[in-house]
Amino acid sequence: MTGYDYGNARLRARGGLLRGDQYAALAGRDGPGLLTALAATCYRPDATQDGARGPVEQIVRIAHDHLVAALAGIGDFYRDRAAGVVAGVLGRFDLHNVVALLRARHRGVPADAASALLVPVGRLGADTARQAAGEPDLPAAARFLAARGLPDPGSARALLSAQRRYEIDADLAPVEEAVACSAWDSQIATLTAGGPRSEERRVGKECRSRW
């Protein structure tokens, strides 16, 4: 048994993937029809009707909630190098969440609206994210996240340094760049820690360059 076998078995046991015929049944449906079709699949627990939202908003919410339910806690299923690789993959969600929180505090987005944009399946959990979203401004949120080593310890240090500059010029772009570049470097290092993996390194560098 490899370091992935047990974790993959646990992940498969969760289910949560549509079959080919279920995907085919979604084709050509309008918004209400998609909601009805999803309610007959593994998306059923998330596909409750919400009269306050339109079909498109409901479908976005369903997809988001289902993704979080499917991936939350999976890092605990893996050991050794497999655990590091899975943590590196989930780290992309941590980066997304941290950047989304920083943008929200920069623009004064309400905490509830900001929290709804997050996918808390990595090191940054839902409770911590809600607390960060409730901080009064970007520097406060940055210090809150950095104190908890988020999105990862190295990127937390980069974030702490970048927020000091932000307090002078209120320029969001350098803060995002500092955190994203550091996080990508950390993820590349994690994925290549076991030896030369040229494809993983190439993909990581390509993603980093696109930020």
Side-chain angles (χ1 to χ4, degrees), residues 113-145:
S115 297
L117 302 174
L118 309 181
V119 185
V121 297
R123 296 180 65 240
L124 176 53
D127 290 342
T128 301
R130 279 192 292 270
Q131 293 179 63
E135 291 292 327
D137 52 29
L138 184 147
R143 289 191 293 270
F144 177 89
L145 293 165

PDB file of all heavy atoms in Angstrom, residues 113-145:
ATOM      1  N   ALA A 113     -20.301  38.498   2.848  1.00  0.00           N
ATOM      2  CA  ALA A 113     -20.118  38.386   1.396  1.00  0.00           C
ATOM      3  C   ALA A 113     -18.730  37.859   1.065  1.00  0.00           C
ATOM      4  O   ALA A 113     -18.573  37.041   0.149  1.00  0.00           O
ATOM      5  CB  ALA A 113     -20.332  39.759   0.741  1.00  0.00           C
ATOM      6  N   ALA A 114     -17.724  38.290   1.804  1.00  0.00           N
ATOM      7  CA  ALA A 114     -16.360  37.804   1.564  1.00  0.00           C
ATOM      8  C   ALA A 114     -16.242  36.322   1.898  1.00  0.00           C
ATOM      9  O   ALA A 114     -15.646  35.546   1.145  1.00  0.00           O
ATOM     10  CB  ALA A 114     -15.370  38.609   2.401  1.00  0.00           C
ATOM     11  N   SER A 115     -16.828  35.904   3.007  1.00  0.00           N
ATOM     12  CA  SER A 115     -16.736  34.502   3.426  1.00  0.00           C
ATOM     13  C   SER A 115     -17.379  33.574   2.411  1.00  0.00           C
ATOM     14  O   SER A 115     -16.932  32.436   2.227  1.00  0.00           O
ATOM     15  CB  SER A 115     -17.390  34.323   4.793  1.00  0.00           C
ATOM     16  OG  SER A 115     -16.709  35.065   5.792  1.00  0.00           O
ATOM     17  N   ALA A 116     -18.424  34.046   1.736  1.00  0.00           N
ATOM     18  CA  ALA A 116     -19.119  33.211   0.756  1.00  0.00           C
ATOM     19  C   ALA A 116     -18.254  32.913  -0.463  1.00  0.00           C
ATOM     20  O   ALA A 116     -18.540  31.968  -1.216  1.00  0.00           O
ATOM     21  CB  ALA A 116     -20.409  33.898   0.317  1.00  0.00           C
ATOM     22  N   LEU A 117     -17.192  33.683  -0.676  1.00  0.00           N
ATOM     23  CA  LEU A 117     -16.308  33.490  -1.831  1.00  0.00           C
ATOM     24  C   LEU A 117     -15.202  32.478  -1.554  1.00  0.00           C
ATOM     25  O   LEU A 117     -14.463  32.108  -2.468  1.00  0.00           O
ATOM     26  CB  LEU A 117     -15.670  34.826  -2.229  1.00  0.00           C
ATOM     27  CG  LEU A 117     -16.622  35.960  -2.595  1.00  0.00           C
ATOM     28  CD1 LEU A 117     -15.838  37.242  -2.807  1.00  0.00           C
ATOM     29  CD2 LEU A 117     -17.425  35.602  -3.834  1.00  0.00           C
ATOM     30  N   LEU A 118     -15.075  32.009  -0.333  1.00  0.00           N
ATOM     31  CA  LEU A 118     -13.938  31.196   0.063  1.00  0.00           C
ATOM     32  C   LEU A 118     -14.223  29.712  -0.067  1.00  0.00           C
ATOM     33  O   LEU A 118     -15.368  29.267  -0.048  1.00  0.00           O
ATOM     34  CB  LEU A 118     -13.549  31.525   1.506  1.00  0.00           C
ATOM     35  CG  LEU A 118     -13.360  33.016   1.815  1.00  0.00           C
ATOM     36  CD1 LEU A 118     -12.961  33.210   3.270  1.00  0.00           C
ATOM     37  CD2 LEU A 118     -12.322  33.631   0.879  1.00  0.00           C
ATOM     38  N   VAL A 119     -13.121  28.949  -0.193  1.00  0.00           N
ATOM     39  CA  VAL A 119     -13.204  27.494  -0.253  1.00  0.00           C
ATOM     40  C   VAL A 119     -12.298  26.961   0.865  1.00  0.00           C
ATOM     41  O   VAL A 119     -11.130  26.621   0.632  1.00  0.00           O
ATOM     42  CB  VAL A 119     -12.753  26.947  -1.623  1.00  0.00           C
ATOM     43  CG1 VAL A 119     -12.979  25.442  -1.697  1.00  0.00           C
ATOM     44  CG2 VAL A 119     -13.495  27.652  -2.753  1.00  0.00           C
ATOM     45  N   PRO A 120     -12.796  26.907   2.098  1.00  0.00           N
ATOM     46  CA  PRO A 120     -11.950  26.581   3.249  1.00  0.00           C
ATOM     47  C   PRO A 120     -11.715  25.083   3.414  1.00  0.00           C
ATOM     48  O   PRO A 120     -12.314  24.428   4.271  1.00  0.00           O
ATOM     49  CB  PRO A 120     -12.746  27.158   4.423  1.00  0.00           C
ATOM     50  CG  PRO A 120     -14.178  27.035   3.996  1.00  0.00           C
ATOM     51  CD  PRO A 120     -14.170  27.271   2.507  1.00  0.00           C
ATOM     52  N   VAL A 121     -10.824  24.532   2.599  1.00  0.00           N
ATOM     53  CA  VAL A 121     -10.567  23.094   2.640  1.00  0.00           C
ATOM     54  C   VAL A 121      -9.111  22.771   2.982  1.00  0.00           C
ATOM     55  O   VAL A 121      -8.743  21.601   3.078  1.00  0.00           O
ATOM     56  CB  VAL A 121     -10.935  22.425   1.295  1.00  0.00           C
ATOM     57  CG1 VAL A 121     -12.418  22.579   1.014  1.00  0.00           C
ATOM     58  CG2 VAL A 121     -10.110  22.994   0.149  1.00  0.00           C
ATOM     59  N   GLY A 122      -8.280  23.802   3.166  1.00  0.00           N
ATOM     60  CA  GLY A 122      -6.879  23.582   3.485  1.00  0.00           C
ATOM     61  C   GLY A 122      -6.568  23.957   4.916  1.00  0.00           C
ATOM     62  O   GLY A 122      -7.340  23.681   5.841  1.00  0.00           O
ATOM     63  N   ARG A 123      -5.441  24.627   5.121  1.00  0.00           N
ATOM     64  CA  ARG A 123      -5.031  25.033   6.465  1.00  0.00           C
ATOM     65  C   ARG A 123      -5.891  26.167   6.999  1.00  0.00           C
ATOM     66  O   ARG A 123      -6.056  26.321   8.211  1.00  0.00           O
ATOM     67  CB  ARG A 123      -3.558  25.461   6.459  1.00  0.00           C
ATOM     68  CG  ARG A 123      -2.586  24.340   6.100  1.00  0.00           C
ATOM     69  CD  ARG A 123      -1.142  24.826   6.108  1.00  0.00           C
ATOM     70  NE  ARG A 123      -0.744  25.222   7.458  1.00  0.00           N
ATOM     71  CZ  ARG A 123      -0.345  26.452   7.777  1.00  0.00           C
ATOM     72  NH1 ARG A 123      -0.312  27.409   6.859  1.00  0.00           N
ATOM     73  NH2 ARG A 123       0.014  26.749   9.006  1.00  0.00           N
ATOM     74  N   LEU A 124      -6.419  26.985   6.114  1.00  0.00           N
ATOM     75  CA  LEU A 124      -7.278  28.095   6.511  1.00  0.00           C
ATOM     76  C   LEU A 124      -8.716  27.600   6.631  1.00  0.00           C
ATOM     77  O   LEU A 124      -9.404  27.381   5.637  1.00  0.00           O
ATOM     78  CB  LEU A 124      -7.200  29.234   5.499  1.00  0.00           C
ATOM     79  CG  LEU A 124      -8.109  30.450   5.721  1.00  0.00           C
ATOM     80  CD1 LEU A 124      -7.927  31.018   7.117  1.00  0.00           C
ATOM     81  CD2 LEU A 124      -7.840  31.510   4.675  1.00  0.00           C
ATOM     82  N   GLY A 125      -9.162  27.379   7.857  1.00  0.00           N
ATOM     83  CA  GLY A 125     -10.497  26.863   8.089  1.00  0.00           C
ATOM     84  C   GLY A 125     -11.558  27.946   8.051  1.00  0.00           C
ATOM     85  O   GLY A 125     -11.267  29.146   8.031  1.00  0.00           O
ATOM     86  N   ALA A 126     -12.812  27.524   8.068  1.00  0.00           N
ATOM     87  CA  ALA A 126     -13.932  28.450   7.929  1.00  0.00           C
ATOM     88  C   ALA A 126     -13.986  29.445   9.083  1.00  0.00           C
ATOM     89  O   ALA A 126     -14.240  30.638   8.867  1.00  0.00           O
ATOM     90  CB  ALA A 126     -15.244  27.671   7.825  1.00  0.00           C
ATOM     91  N   ASP A 127     -13.768  28.987  10.308  1.00  0.00           N
ATOM     92  CA  ASP A 127     -13.860  29.893  11.456  1.00  0.00           C
ATOM     93  C   ASP A 127     -12.782  30.974  11.405  1.00  0.00           C
ATOM     94  O   ASP A 127     -13.051  32.157  11.643  1.00  0.00           O
ATOM     95  CB  ASP A 127     -13.742  29.104  12.766  1.00  0.00           C
ATOM     96  CG  ASP A 127     -14.958  28.238  13.031  1.00  0.00           C
ATOM     97  OD1 ASP A 127     -16.016  28.501  12.415  1.00  0.00           O
ATOM     98  OD2 ASP A 127     -14.858  27.303  13.836  1.00  0.00           O
ATOM     99  N   THR A 128     -11.550  30.557  11.092  1.00  0.00           N
ATOM    100  CA  THR A 128     -10.462  31.528  10.984  1.00  0.00           C
ATOM    101  C   THR A 128     -10.719  32.509   9.850  1.00  0.00           C
ATOM    102  O   THR A 128     -10.458  33.710   9.982  1.00  0.00           O
ATOM    103  CB  THR A 128      -9.129  30.809  10.762  1.00  0.00           C
ATOM    104  OG1 THR A 128      -8.887  29.922  11.853  1.00  0.00           O
ATOM    105  CG2 THR A 128      -7.979  31.784  10.655  1.00  0.00           C
ATOM    106  N   ALA A 129     -11.243  32.008   8.738  1.00  0.00           N
ATOM    107  CA  ALA A 129     -11.541  32.877   7.602  1.00  0.00           C
ATOM    108  C   ALA A 129     -12.579  33.920   7.970  1.00  0.00           C
ATOM    109  O   ALA A 129     -12.455  35.100   7.602  1.00  0.00           O
ATOM    110  CB  ALA A 129     -12.030  32.039   6.422  1.00  0.00           C
ATOM    111  N   ARG A 130     -13.614  33.512   8.698  1.00  0.00           N
ATOM    112  CA  ARG A 130     -14.649  34.472   9.102  1.00  0.00           C
ATOM    113  C   ARG A 130     -14.073  35.546  10.023  1.00  0.00           C
ATOM    114  O   ARG A 130     -14.442  36.725   9.932  1.00  0.00           O
ATOM    115  CB  ARG A 130     -15.805  33.739   9.781  1.00  0.00           C
ATOM    116  CG  ARG A 130     -16.788  33.094   8.809  1.00  0.00           C
ATOM    117  CD  ARG A 130     -18.036  32.641   9.520  1.00  0.00           C
ATOM    118  NE  ARG A 130     -17.774  31.532  10.414  1.00  0.00           N
ATOM    119  CZ  ARG A 130     -17.835  30.248  10.078  1.00  0.00           C
ATOM    120  NH1 ARG A 130     -18.168  29.926   8.836  1.00  0.00           N
ATOM    121  NH2 ARG A 130     -17.590  29.304  10.954  1.00  0.00           N
ATOM    122  N   GLN A 131     -13.179  35.140  10.903  1.00  0.00           N
ATOM    123  CA  GLN A 131     -12.549  36.136  11.770  1.00  0.00           C
ATOM    124  C   GLN A 131     -11.715  37.125  10.965  1.00  0.00           C
ATOM    125  O   GLN A 131     -11.755  38.338  11.210  1.00  0.00           O
ATOM    126  CB  GLN A 131     -11.681  35.440  12.810  1.00  0.00           C
ATOM    127  CG  GLN A 131     -12.456  34.617  13.829  1.00  0.00           C
ATOM    128  CD  GLN A 131     -11.530  33.942  14.821  1.00  0.00           C
ATOM    129  OE1 GLN A 131     -10.816  34.595  15.571  1.00  0.00           O
ATOM    130  NE2 GLN A 131     -11.523  32.624  14.814  1.00  0.00           N
ATOM    131  N   ALA A 132     -10.954  36.608   9.995  1.00  0.00           N
ATOM    132  CA  ALA A 132     -10.141  37.493   9.151  1.00  0.00           C
ATOM    133  C   ALA A 132     -11.019  38.443   8.351  1.00  0.00           C
ATOM    134  O   ALA A 132     -10.702  39.623   8.181  1.00  0.00           O
ATOM    135  CB  ALA A 132      -9.264  36.662   8.221  1.00  0.00           C
ATOM    136  N   ALA A 133     -12.158  37.917   7.853  1.00  0.00           N
ATOM    137  CA  ALA A 133     -13.071  38.742   7.060  1.00  0.00           C
ATOM    138  C   ALA A 133     -13.682  39.861   7.893  1.00  0.00           C
ATOM    139  O   ALA A 133     -14.116  40.883   7.346  1.00  0.00           O
ATOM    140  CB  ALA A 133     -14.178  37.881   6.461  1.00  0.00           C
ATOM    141  N   GLY A 134     -13.714  39.685   9.206  1.00  0.00           N
ATOM    142  CA  GLY A 134     -14.286  40.692  10.079  1.00  0.00           C
ATOM    143  C   GLY A 134     -13.295  41.716  10.588  1.00  0.00           C
ATOM    144  O   GLY A 134     -13.680  42.644  11.324  1.00  0.00           O
ATOM    145  N   GLU A 135     -12.028  41.588  10.202  1.00  0.00           N
ATOM    146  CA  GLU A 135     -11.031  42.580  10.615  1.00  0.00           C
ATOM    147  C   GLU A 135     -11.338  43.930   9.965  1.00  0.00           C
ATOM    148  O   GLU A 135     -11.907  43.986   8.880  1.00  0.00           O
ATOM    149  CB  GLU A 135      -9.628  42.120  10.228  1.00  0.00           C
ATOM    150  CG  GLU A 135      -9.119  40.922  11.023  1.00  0.00           C
ATOM    151  CD  GLU A 135      -8.876  41.265  12.490  1.00  0.00           C
ATOM    152  OE1 GLU A 135      -8.488  42.419  12.789  1.00  0.00           O
ATOM    153  OE2 GLU A 135      -9.072  40.376  13.342  1.00  0.00           O
ATOM    154  N   PRO A 136     -10.969  45.031  10.616  1.00  0.00           N
ATOM    155  CA  PRO A 136     -11.406  46.352  10.131  1.00  0.00           C
ATOM    156  C   PRO A 136     -10.795  46.808   8.815  1.00  0.00           C
ATOM    157  O   PRO A 136     -11.386  47.616   8.102  1.00  0.00           O
ATOM    158  CB  PRO A 136     -11.004  47.299  11.270  1.00  0.00           C
ATOM    159  CG  PRO A 136      -9.908  46.580  11.993  1.00  0.00           C
ATOM    160  CD  PRO A 136     -10.248  45.126  11.899  1.00  0.00           C
ATOM    161  N   ASP A 137      -9.593  46.320   8.477  1.00  0.00           N
ATOM    162  CA  ASP A 137      -8.956  46.766   7.236  1.00  0.00           C
ATOM    163  C   ASP A 137      -7.930  45.718   6.812  1.00  0.00           C
ATOM    164  O   ASP A 137      -7.727  44.704   7.485  1.00  0.00           O
ATOM    165  CB  ASP A 137      -8.298  48.134   7.406  1.00  0.00           C
ATOM    166  CG  ASP A 137      -7.358  48.192   8.610  1.00  0.00           C
ATOM    167  OD1 ASP A 137      -6.785  47.132   8.973  1.00  0.00           O
ATOM    168  OD2 ASP A 137      -7.185  49.283   9.180  1.00  0.00           O
ATOM    169  N   LEU A 138      -7.286  45.981   5.664  1.00  0.00           N
ATOM    170  CA  LEU A 138      -6.328  45.000   5.138  1.00  0.00           C
ATOM    171  C   LEU A 138      -5.138  44.778   6.063  1.00  0.00           C
ATOM    172  O   LEU A 138      -4.776  43.617   6.300  1.00  0.00           O
ATOM    173  CB  LEU A 138      -5.859  45.419   3.738  1.00  0.00           C
ATOM    174  CG  LEU A 138      -4.939  44.420   3.038  1.00  0.00           C
ATOM    175  CD1 LEU A 138      -5.160  44.422   1.538  1.00  0.00           C
ATOM    176  CD2 LEU A 138      -3.457  44.708   3.329  1.00  0.00           C
ATOM    177  N   PRO A 139      -4.488  45.809   6.582  1.00  0.00           N
ATOM    178  CA  PRO A 139      -3.347  45.544   7.468  1.00  0.00           C
ATOM    179  C   PRO A 139      -3.723  44.675   8.672  1.00  0.00           C
ATOM    180  O   PRO A 139      -2.961  43.773   9.050  1.00  0.00           O
ATOM    181  CB  PRO A 139      -2.909  46.945   7.898  1.00  0.00           C
ATOM    182  CG  PRO A 139      -3.298  47.819   6.754  1.00  0.00           C
ATOM    183  CD  PRO A 139      -4.613  47.264   6.304  1.00  0.00           C
ATOM    184  N   ALA A 140      -4.893  44.915   9.258  1.00  0.00           N
ATOM    185  CA  ALA A 140      -5.318  44.107  10.402  1.00  0.00           C
ATOM    186  C   ALA A 140      -5.554  42.663   9.983  1.00  0.00           C
ATOM    187  O   ALA A 140      -5.160  41.726  10.685  1.00  0.00           O
ATOM    188  CB  ALA A 140      -6.582  44.697  11.021  1.00  0.00           C
ATOM    189  N   ALA A 141      -6.201  42.453   8.823  1.00  0.00           N
ATOM    190  CA  ALA A 141      -6.432  41.095   8.336  1.00  0.00           C
ATOM    191  C   ALA A 141      -5.114  40.410   8.005  1.00  0.00           C
ATOM    192  O   ALA A 141      -4.929  39.213   8.282  1.00  0.00           O
ATOM    193  CB  ALA A 141      -7.330  41.139   7.104  1.00  0.00           C
ATOM    194  N   ALA A 142      -4.192  41.154   7.403  1.00  0.00           N
ATOM    195  CA  ALA A 142      -2.883  40.587   7.059  1.00  0.00           C
ATOM    196  C   ALA A 142      -2.136  40.142   8.306  1.00  0.00           C
ATOM    197  O   ALA A 142      -1.550  39.053   8.344  1.00  0.00           O
ATOM    198  CB  ALA A 142      -2.061  41.611   6.277  1.00  0.00           C
ATOM    199  N   ARG A 143      -2.147  40.965   9.331  1.00  0.00           N
ATOM    200  CA  ARG A 143      -1.461  40.599  10.576  1.00  0.00           C
ATOM    201  C   ARG A 143      -2.130  39.387  11.227  1.00  0.00           C
ATOM    202  O   ARG A 143      -1.451  38.504  11.765  1.00  0.00           O
ATOM    203  CB  ARG A 143      -1.451  41.791  11.535  1.00  0.00           C
ATOM    204  CG  ARG A 143      -0.528  42.928  11.096  1.00  0.00           C
ATOM    205  CD  ARG A 143      -0.350  43.955  12.196  1.00  0.00           C
ATOM    206  NE  ARG A 143      -1.584  44.674  12.488  1.00  0.00           N
ATOM    207  CZ  ARG A 143      -1.951  45.798  11.879  1.00  0.00           C
ATOM    208  NH1 ARG A 143      -1.182  46.336  10.933  1.00  0.00           N
ATOM    209  NH2 ARG A 143      -3.077  46.406  12.212  1.00  0.00           N
ATOM    210  N   PHE A 144      -3.462  39.348  11.173  1.00  0.00           N
ATOM    211  CA  PHE A 144      -4.211  38.215  11.729  1.00  0.00           C
ATOM    212  C   PHE A 144      -3.817  36.916  11.029  1.00  0.00           C
ATOM    213  O   PHE A 144      -3.553  35.893  11.677  1.00  0.00           O
ATOM    214  CB  PHE A 144      -5.706  38.487  11.582  1.00  0.00           C
ATOM    215  CG  PHE A 144      -6.593  37.372  12.051  1.00  0.00           C
ATOM    216  CD1 PHE A 144      -7.010  37.310  13.378  1.00  0.00           C
ATOM    217  CD2 PHE A 144      -7.009  36.381  11.181  1.00  0.00           C
ATOM    218  CE1 PHE A 144      -7.831  36.269  13.820  1.00  0.00           C
ATOM    219  CE2 PHE A 144      -7.827  35.346  11.605  1.00  0.00           C
ATOM    220  CZ  PHE A 144      -8.246  35.293  12.928  1.00  0.00           C
ATOM    221  N   LEU A 145      -3.792  36.939   9.696  1.00  0.00           N
ATOM    222  CA  LEU A 145      -3.456  35.730   8.921  1.00  0.00           C
ATOM    223  C   LEU A 145      -1.990  35.349   9.109  1.00  0.00           C
ATOM    224  O   LEU A 145      -1.662  34.170   9.288  1.00  0.00           O
ATOM    225  CB  LEU A 145      -3.759  35.971   7.443  1.00  0.00           C
ATOM    226  CG  LEU A 145      -5.245  36.138   7.094  1.00  0.00           C
ATOM    227  CD1 LEU A 145      -5.406  36.724   5.699  1.00  0.00           C
ATOM    228  CD2 LEU A 145      -5.973  34.798   7.202  1.00  0.00           C
TER     229      LEU A 145
END
